[in-house]
Amino acid sequence: MASENIINDDGGSATKEEMCPPCSEETIASIFLGRWILVDSKISTPLISFKSGEMVVKHQVNEETGEDEYLTNTSWKMRLCCFPYRGSSTSITRLTGKDTFTVQNKKSNLVDGLVDYGRREGNNHFKTVGKKGTNEIEYKGDRCHMKITDARYSLYIEQEWKRVAN
């Protein structure tokens, strides 16, 4: 199969593989490992609003399989109608192929055990699909932009996160 040529900003061309190197330890570490804080959030209903959030992404090696995993602990404060609510979740991301991965929810106030299937769609752009909906994530320097569609509750959420530590 021939490589697809892409025209880049300076008028030259490159293959998709050159523009989007495969997911690797170095690629992942430079893109999303670290501590992130929520700086902006928009949601499709006025009944819910996020007040703050923190996400910490760490690398670990699975003791049983020896495979690389990425542990994400997320916590947030929000308002449901007029009531304050604190939530948290833990998920594990595993690379399953050159540009594919899974995200398994391990502990959460809302969902447990669900698996999302993801793929890399661009150099710093990722998409996951699962039973609860879809997520699109794009990293630009120290910023992370998320578009979350939760099909269970017909919610659409846009969030912006800022990396504050590696």
Side-chain angles (χ1 to χ4, degrees):
M1 179 179 206
S3 294
E4 179 181 337
N5 280 341
I6 299 170
I7 306 298
N8 58 27
D9 291 338
D10 63 4
S13 69
T15 64
K16 183 178 178 187
E17 290 79 17
E18 292 169 332
M19 297 292 290
C20 305
C23 289
S24 68
E25 185 66 36
E26 295 105 24
T27 304
I28 290 170
S30 68
I31 294 175
F32 65 83
L33 290 181
R35 181 173 165 258
W36 300 78
I37 57 168
L38 183 65
V39 293
D40 190 25
S41 182
K42 297 176 183 110
I43 192 162
S44 61
T45 177
L47 300 175
I48 301 171
S49 62
F50 285 87
K51 299 301 179 191
S52 65
E54 179 180 81
M55 178 171 50
V56 178
V57 184
K58 297 179 183 177
H59 172 261
Q60 66 183 24
V61 176
N62 184 307
E63 293 178 9
E64 294 176 13
T65 65
E67 294 179 341
D68 290 319
E69 298 178 336
Y70 302 90
L71 179 71
T72 303
N73 290 307
T74 308
S75 60
W76 60 89
K77 292 179 185 174
M78 61 192 305
R79 292 199 68 80
L80 295 170
C81 299
C82 58
F83 303 103
Y85 178 79
R86 290 177 186 251
S88 65
S89 68
T90 300
S91 64
I92 294 181
T93 302
R94 293 181 182 96
L95 299 179
T96 57
K98 182 179 117 179
D99 286 327
T100 59
F101 56 94
T102 61
V103 179
Q104 182 173 13
N105 293 293
K106 300 302 275 182
K107 183 186 90 175
S108 173
N109 295 79
L110 303 174
V111 294
D112 283 331
L114 294 180
V115 176
D116 289 348
Y117 298 91
R119 72 175 182 264
R120 186 175 186 184
E121 294 193 326
N123 204 27
N124 295 328
H125 189 247
F126 302 85
K127 184 174 188 173
T128 65
V129 177
K131 287 185 178 181
K132 63 184 187 321
T134 61
N135 299 321
E136 290 187 45
I137 304 159
E138 184 173 21
Y139 295 92
K140 292 182 179 180
D142 67 345
R143 299 290 176 147
C144 171
H145 302 273
M146 294 185 181
K147 294 178 183 177
I148 303 162
T149 303
D150 191 323
R152 299 166 303 168
Y153 308 112
S154 298
L155 291 176
Y156 180 75
I157 303 166
E158 286 189 31
Q159 294 181 330
E160 181 177 355
W161 297 77
K162 180 179 181 181
R163 185 186 344 234
V164 294
N166 286 332

